[in-house]
Amino acid sequence: MVSDNVLNEFKTCTQLQYNGQLNIKSPKGHQWTFYYRLGRIVWAAGGTHPFRRWRRLMAQHCPQIDVEKMQLRKQDISISYWDYRLLEILYKRQKIQREQVHAIVDNTIAELLFDLAQQSNFISVSGDASGATLVVERNEQVVLETPMSFTSADLSMKQMLESWQMWSAAGLANISPDFAPIIRRPEQLQQQVSPSVYKNFVTLINGKSTLRDLSAKMKQNVLPVSRSLLPYVLKGIIELVELPDLPINILDSPATPTPAQPKKSKVPVIACVDDSPQVCKMLEDIVTANGMKFIKIQDAIQALPILIQEKPDLIFLDLIMPVASGYEICTQLRRISHFANTPVVILTGNDGLLDRVRAKVVGSTDFLTKPVAPDRVMSIIRKYLPMQASPVAKPGTHLEMCH
């Protein structure tokens, strides 16, 4: 599929609640991939410097991780979303926080959207592309099953257009933030700036760091940094050069598999989506007393991202909640392959036939009327998780995870 206006393609993906990749290629050979989940962008890959971007964003947002000391194998970076997979592993090992993941996801998407805007030469939303035609295709084969961040594509588009317009207005339209400044006429520079500024220039501007890298080191936005260098670029004192990417160290020898941790017997994970603290507390007491892991979600808006992240074995879902109802959440869950067969038990104070019929239509598995009683809760859990739910818990073995 060929599209003159790539913005419309992003809008279509949002409207269709698309799951999969949106691949965009320019005639110059540039390539960008945006990963969608339920119409929202959850990750982006490609661009000129994927490895430089990864190093820079990790240094900015996860300074506790030394990227140079990470021992990676070839297979670790063989997939197109290798950087996302590494974030996922670091998060699961509790090396980084969810907020740090969000920051890296948002910045990665923003950078790649900006590069797309610049290299495809579209400026307005009506977007008559003045450059050659971009090739845009959707691919539903790769769907990220555990997105850690859901970014609004509409908001991202708005921010991208604003940042591109500001960049153009500053006279930087033909300058990529991935270019690296290098001093070509040090004598002239020395005459024009103070000794301390000159010393900073010589230290920082060595042709080894891109404008984005420099800005990160200076803890500033790339726009003012680039704008401040522009007069020197126009005079030929500083030249902007293209740099290759800076790949991460890969282990040469075939990596010996790390000894597997002794597997603990699988503890069932039970989730409860209910805005009532009392209902959540009652279910939590019942579930954890029986040696199972419990996740409570009282904000319906957060339900999907948390459920996708934690992958519970069974979900109790309240029917009536503000903003998003149990019907809507159940419908969305059934569209996700991982939850196609996960038991979803509807919690309701009303045991009406209409509710039961409607709940079945959206794919619920069973019903539980409030108030909840321990024997009925455990009966349902054993019914749908017969091999896992142990009737008696060992003291202190359950792990509690609250959100």
Side-chain angles (χ1 to χ4, degrees), residues 109-146:
I109 292 168
E111 279 196 19
L112 285 163
L113 282 172
F114 179 90
D115 292 347
L116 174 61
Q118 182 168 45
Q119 293 178 35
S120 60
N121 293 326
F122 62 82
I123 297 170
S124 64
V125 181
S126 56
D128 228 331
S130 57
T133 309
L134 290 167
V135 179
V136 184
E137 62 170 17
R138 287 190 222 136
N139 173 5
E140 296 184 27
Q141 290 176 333
V142 178
V143 178
L144 294 183
E145 287 289 353
T146 55

Side-chain angles (χ1 to χ4, degrees), residues 91-92 94 98 269-272 284 288 292-297 306 309-311 398-403:
Y91 175 72
K92 281 182 179 169
Q94 298 183 331
R98 189 184 281 268
V269 180
I270 312 295
C272 172
E284 182 176 13
T288 56
M292 291 171 285
K293 191 170 161 179
F294 183 79
I295 299 165
K296 67 177 173 190
I297 307 166
I306 293 172
Q309 177 67 40
E310 304 296 345
K311 294 192 178 69
H398 68 267
L399 180 66
E400 182 181 343
M401 184 177 293
C402 296
H403 293 262

Side-chain angles (χ1 to χ4, degrees), residues 113-124 157-170 172-177 223:
L113 282 172
F114 179 90
D115 292 347
L116 174 61
Q118 182 168 45
Q119 293 178 35
S120 60
N121 293 326
F122 62 82
I123 297 170
S124 64
M157 294 295 112
K158 185 170 175 287
Q159 289 169 343
M160 172 264 281
L161 287 167
E162 284 172 2
S163 60
W164 170 240
Q165 283 160 1
M166 287 166 68
W167 188 262
S168 303
L172 299 164
N174 295 319
I175 292 174
S176 165
L223 175 61

Side-chain angles (χ1 to χ4, degrees), residues 15-57:
Q15 288 160 0
L16 294 176
Q17 292 204 317
Y18 177 61
N19 290 316
Q21 291 170 277
L22 180 66
N23 296 316
I24 303 169
K25 292 178 189 173
S26 77
K28 293 178 184 175
H30 297 293
Q31 192 164 334
W32 305 268
T33 301
F34 296 90
Y35 295 87
Y36 272 83
R37 207 78 180 87
L38 300 170
R40 285 174 167 258
I41 303 175
V42 294
W43 185 243
T48 316
H49 292 151
F51 290 105
R52 280 184 184 274
R53 182 174 61 245
W54 162 256
R55 288 166 185 271
R56 182 175 62 254
L57 292 177

Side-chain angles (χ1 to χ4, degrees), residues 10-21 34-43 140 142-147 149-154 300-309 328-339:
F10 282 102
K11 286 178 184 172
T12 303
C13 287
T14 302
Q15 288 160 0
L16 294 176
Q17 292 204 317
Y18 177 61
N19 290 316
Q21 291 170 277
F34 296 90
Y35 295 87
Y36 272 83
R37 207 78 180 87
L38 300 170
R40 285 174 167 258
I41 303 175
V42 294
W43 185 243
E140 296 184 27
V142 178
V143 178
L144 294 183
E145 287 289 353
T146 55
S149 184
F150 284 75
T151 301
S152 160
D154 290 342
I301 296 295
Q302 288 298 313
L304 268 180
I306 293 172
L307 291 171
I308 289 169
Q309 177 67 40
E328 291 167 314
I329 293 170
C330 192
T331 302
Q332 297 277 32
L333 280 172
R334 292 309 189 205
R335 289 179 182 168
I336 299 167
S337 58
H338 181 84
F339 293 106

